[in-house]
Amino acid sequence: MANEDTREAEQAARGHVAQLAFGNMVVQTLRAATRLKVFDLIGDEERTAAEVAGAAGAQPQAMNRLLRALAGLGLLTERAPGSFAATPAGTLLDTGRPDSMTALVSMLTDPEILRPWELLEQGIRTGAGTFETVFGKDFFSYIKERPELSAQFNAAMSQGSAATAAALPHAFDFGRFTKVTDVGGGDGTLLTAVLRAHPALSGVVYDSEEGLAQAPEKLREHDLTSRCTLVAGDFFKSVPKGSDVYLIKSVLHDWSDDLAATILSNCREVLPPDGRVLIVDPVLPEVVDPRTAGLTYLSDLHMLVGAGGRERTRKDFEELCGRAGLTILSVRPIDEAYGFGLIEAKAA
């Protein structure tokens, strides 16, 4: 029995390593499926590979092979030979759904985003980001010159904020305050959710001109143009005065400790005595627990190859806030699927 258990354990270990080694093939499979709009074409129905191929302008046998691979990945189910339906996970790649994750997948599987990963070893050796090595400029300067990629990034960030946007308005007592500035707030997805849940609040979405490109439409969609102002600027230089809450989601992890401390210091400079800084970022445990948020550690490496940023533990955030003249009051989970925490800080 012991020998049999050992063999099973060895087989499981080998299978695990092989599965990881196939990871890049999974990425390319997802990218092909989203670009061919496979999940849009299947929708809520059961479709044959031939039907999907015809609608996508693809070769039927090759499409059948793609759909079977997607079934093997748990995104489709093959109900009869050559006939497929989407699983609950697969439906999230239908662009027609309000909770679609297609933009996020498109962004993370984009060849321009993946190329710096080819230099990960170099990044580990030097501790420096590799995006600039590949493209000659930092990520945000690069997408600024490419409106299509910038729009794709903004859409991905909006989709990536959906779960937090659903939870945040009820995870913090916004009713004690009057005005919220979302620093690096993109299209306003997060602040929109907060303002809709708290009608007495007003707000400011603060970002670069490129980051704000889709924000006017978002505010009009939710009838918030009278309660929310859009301000373009550079958070490394300053943030707008006049709010008593400064919200920062998925921004600090993009940057080195020095640059992240600069952003927080700029928030501290305009923070009123009873104001709050709310940081929403992944919060790593002090020791890796493989049962929770393993993707967070891949995100940590993604931050490294991108702009030299990093994910942080609570201790890291305490040190970062301390450098900026802030003290942390609480840290609590807000989106456990991605390891996001809500960090409440005030003036030290």
Side-chain angles (χ1 to χ4, degrees):
M1 179 66 71
N3 288 338
E4 183 177 338
D5 290 343
T6 299
R7 284 194 297 273
E8 289 181 358
E10 289 175 349
Q11 289 175 352
R14 293 177 68 84
H16 180 61
V17 172
Q19 184 178 33
L20 294 176
F22 273 73
N24 185 58
M25 300 177 195
V26 174
V27 168
Q28 300 305 331
T29 299
L30 280 175
R31 183 161 182 79
T34 54
R35 289 179 64 83
L36 289 164
K37 299 189 179 300
V38 163
F39 296 94
D40 292 38
L41 295 173
I42 292 176
D44 296 327
E45 306 296 328
E46 182 176 344
R47 303 290 187 191
T48 67
E51 289 172 332
V52 177
Q59 200 274 338
Q61 185 188 71
M63 177 60 75
N64 188 59
R65 294 165 70 179
L66 174 62
L67 299 186
R68 296 186 79 179
L70 294 168
L73 293 172
L75 298 172
L76 296 175
T77 180
E78 189 172 19
R79 293 180 175 175
S83 186
F84 300 86
T87 65
T91 61
L92 296 174
L93 296 176
D94 183 340
T95 60
R97 288 175 58 104
D99 58 350
S100 174
M101 297 178 67
T102 307
L104 188 64
V105 169
S106 296
M107 186 70 189
L108 291 175
T109 61
D110 191 292
E112 292 177 287
I113 301 302
L114 294 175
R115 278 185 61 193
W117 273 86
E118 297 173 8
L119 299 181
L120 176 60
E121 179 186 348
Q122 174 182 313
I124 298 298
R125 291 184 183 277
T126 65
T130 60
F131 191 95
E132 191 165 349
T133 302
V134 174
F135 294 106
K137 56 188 65 180
D138 69 82
F139 173 74
F140 292 101
S141 297
Y142 183 81
I143 66 172
K144 181 178 181 178
E145 300 171 354
R146 291 160 176 80
E148 184 176 343
L149 186 60
S150 181
Q152 180 177 271
F153 175 78
N154 291 345
M157 293 305 96
S158 178
Q159 289 185 357
S161 294
T164 302
L168 180 62
H170 315 290
F172 178 75
D173 183 12
F174 286 98
R176 297 181 291 129
F177 302 95
T178 60
K179 190 173 184 179
V180 180
T181 291
D182 190 353
V183 179
D187 74 347
T189 291
L190 196 59
L191 187 54
T192 292
V194 172
L195 295 180
R196 292 182 68 196
H198 298 276
L201 279 178
S202 62
V204 175
V205 182
Y206 181 59
D207 210 322
S208 65
E209 292 184 3
E210 298 75 34
L212 293 172
Q214 285 76 41
E217 180 181 351
K218 179 70 69 174
L219 296 184
R220 286 194 297 270
E221 178 185 346
H222 295 287
D223 195 25
L224 289 172
T225 54
S226 63
R227 290 173 52 203
C228 189
T229 304
L230 305 179
V231 178
D234 182 350
F235 50 48
F236 292 122
K237 295 180 179 179
S238 66
V239 299
K241 298 178 181 179
S243 290
D244 43 10
V245 176
Y246 287 85
L247 174 62
I248 313 171
K249 180 191 179 294
S250 297
V251 170
L252 299 183
H253 73 167
D254 286 329
W255 307 105
S256 67
D257 288 348
D258 288 344
L259 291 175
T262 296
I263 298 169
L264 289 174
S265 295
N266 288 336
C267 292
R268 171 64 184 89
E269 187 174 334
V270 298
L271 191 69
D274 295 327
R276 294 290 186 270
V277 174
L278 299 181
I279 302 166
V280 181
D281 251 349
V283 180
L284 299 175
E286 293 296 332
V287 177
V288 174
D289 182 350
R291 297 171 298 179
T292 60
L295 292 178
T296 306
Y297 298 97
L298 292 177
S299 175
D300 186 30
L301 293 178
H302 188 55
M303 296 304 108
L304 171 61
V305 301
R310 59 182 295 215
E311 307 295 7
R312 297 176 172 89
T313 64
R314 174 172 180 150
K315 182 179 179 181
D316 293 328
F317 279 111
E318 288 173 346
E319 293 175 354
L320 197 61
C321 286
R323 289 178 58 179
L326 298 167
T327 185
I328 290 179
L329 297 175
S330 66
V331 179
R332 49 190 180 273
I334 192 170
D335 181 359
E336 295 187 17
Y338 293 97
F340 276 93
L342 173 61
I343 303 167
E344 178 184 354
K346 68 172 186 176

